[in-house]
Amino acid sequence: MNTQPDNESLGPEEYARRLKSGDQILYLPEAAAFVRKCVGTLRYYRHLRIGPRSFRHGRNVAYWNTDLILWLAEEAAQPAGRSDGAHALARPQVGRP
């Protein structure tokens, strides 16, 4: 999984190279539909830094289509799901033993 924070996102040269090669920018709702997750789940994954690499494009959260495909491939390669368990430990289980 890519845990790279936004402040280490792609530079202008890489951005231009990706656009020239035909890669597409997908905004949060489009990315959520592409990976078949709800928008809230992708926001939560972004907050935990366990989701696909994202960046700010103006006021919007955006994803490169290629990064979404690579993230899905990494997810599929883990037969038992996420190995770090970060998503399960992020929210305290109140009132449960």
Side-chain angles (χ1 to χ4, degrees), residues 26-54 61-63 67-68 71-72 75 82:
L26 300 176
Y27 293 113
L28 186 59
E30 298 166 318
F34 183 79
V35 298
R36 296 183 180 205
K37 299 277 185 190
C38 67
V39 170
T41 300
L42 273 188
R43 280 192 186 121
Y44 186 56
Y45 286 176
R46 186 170 185 265
H47 168 73
L48 295 176
R49 300 182 190 265
I50 62 172
R53 180 171 43 182
S54 62
V61 174
Y63 300 84
D67 288 338
L68 294 173
W71 180 72
L72 287 171
E75 290 287 296
R82 287 188 178 77

Side-chain angles (χ1 to χ4, degrees), residues 1 3 11 16 21 24-25 30-34 36 46-48 54 57 60 62 74 76 83 85 88 95-96:
M1 270 170 272
T3 58
S21 70
Q24 293 182 347
I25 294 174
E30 298 166 318
F34 183 79
R36 296 183 180 205
R46 186 170 185 265
H47 168 73
L48 295 176
S54 62
H57 191 246
N60 300 304
E74 289 173 0
S83 59
R96 293 190 181 179

